[in-house]
Amino acid sequence: MDMNTTLFREISFQVTEGNPWWGLATCNEYGGLDPDLRAALVSLFKRRLTADCRESPLALALITGKRTHQLPD
């Protein structure tokens, strides 16, 4: 499924102001996203996290683009 404008706005909001974990997890579920755009969302995601959280298994999985079924327990 391709990402539409409404979905992209929601993901952007979650990553920048809402729940960044949920925003990036949702982003990872949709293929065909421009790599530069995804890199920008990942950069925003990293800025919202503390240093400890950035190294967590879940954060690393989301940053590398893992989908829901591939995330660690």
Side-chain angles (χ1 to χ4, degrees):
M1 173 186 252
D2 290 333
M3 188 178 302
N4 60 34
T5 303
T6 304
L7 182 58
F8 181 71
R9 278 191 209 147
E10 179 60 24
I11 289 170
S12 298
F13 171 79
Q14 291 299 330
V15 170
T16 59
E17 298 177 36
N19 183 339
W21 300 91
W22 181 251
L24 198 56
T26 304
C27 176
N28 289 347
E29 292 300 313
Y30 294 88
L33 185 61
D34 180 65
D36 293 331
L37 193 51
R38 186 176 185 295
L41 290 170
V42 168
S43 178
L44 291 168
F45 173 78
K46 287 179 179 179
R47 279 191 233 159
R48 298 265 330 263
L49 303 181
T50 63
D52 292 341
C53 287
R54 274 182 245 151
E55 299 301 320
S56 74
L58 179 57
L60 293 174
L62 289 173
I63 289 167
T64 59
K66 303 281 187 212
R67 292 184 171 210
T68 304
H69 68 279
Q70 300 169 315
L71 295 177
D73 294 335

